[in-house]
Amino acid sequence: MANYRRNRINEEVQRELNDILRDVKDPRVSDALMTVTAVDVTPDLKFAKVYYSALGRQDEKEVMAGLKSAAGFIRGQVAKRLNLRQTPEFTFVRDRSMENGAHISKLLRSVEADLKDEPETEENL
């Protein structure tokens, strides 16, 4: 399958999953503000890794358990909305890039504050 076609399928599945996750009735999933950040479908369309980020005070293991229990509903909704030969089985993976970015930003701010507080010497110039 051409790579551009897989990219289009990845984008369409991602778009639909963002809509479908709002309809999931499991409180472990619906109480967390979930966003699908990326989808990676295998070339044979049998499997897909779904990268998500969840904001809120939900336990990470509870959100994952909620997604696993709702996987059948989610797959059925994707099958109804998208016209694919096969509907992939979803594997959910937590995307920590936003958390990592916030942590790095916090570290940079603390280094910047430390540099402002440090007296200037010839070595620092």
Side-chain angles (χ1 to χ4, degrees):
M1 177 185 328
N3 203 23
Y4 63 91
R5 182 167 184 258
R6 254 183 71 201
N7 289 337
R8 282 194 349 233
I9 291 172
N10 288 338
E11 290 172 4
E12 285 298 317
V13 171
Q14 178 182 353
R15 190 174 304 124
E16 291 301 327
L17 284 174
N18 276 320
D19 288 341
I20 292 168
L21 285 176
R22 290 188 209 122
D23 298 336
V24 174
K25 294 192 182 354
D26 191 331
R28 297 174 289 188
V29 176
S30 62
D31 291 348
L33 296 172
M34 305 232 358
T35 303
V36 176
T37 57
V39 175
D40 188 21
V41 177
T42 59
D44 60 359
L45 297 178
K46 289 187 178 184
F47 302 98
K49 279 188 182 178
V50 178
Y51 298 93
Y52 71 93
S53 66
L55 299 174
R57 301 188 186 268
Q58 298 290 348
D59 181 28
E60 183 176 324
K61 291 180 183 177
E62 289 294 317
V63 172
M64 182 63 79
L67 286 171
K68 283 183 181 178
S69 74
F73 169 77
I74 293 170
R75 187 175 184 205
Q77 290 297 310
V78 169
K80 287 179 185 176
R81 295 177 185 204
L82 296 178
N83 186 16
L84 296 174
R85 249 180 302 145
Q86 290 183 324
T87 305
E89 291 183 34
F90 297 112
T91 304
F92 295 96
V93 179
R94 177 83 184 247
D95 185 6
R96 299 187 183 281
S97 61
M98 291 181 67
E99 295 168 10
N100 293 341
H103 178 68
I104 290 171
S105 179
K106 180 181 174 184
L107 291 174
L108 289 174
R109 281 193 303 270
S110 70
V111 168
E112 185 180 356
D114 290 345
L115 289 176
K116 286 182 180 178
D117 294 341
E118 188 176 297
E120 290 187 24
T121 63
E122 288 183 23
E123 294 174 359
N124 292 345
L125 297 175

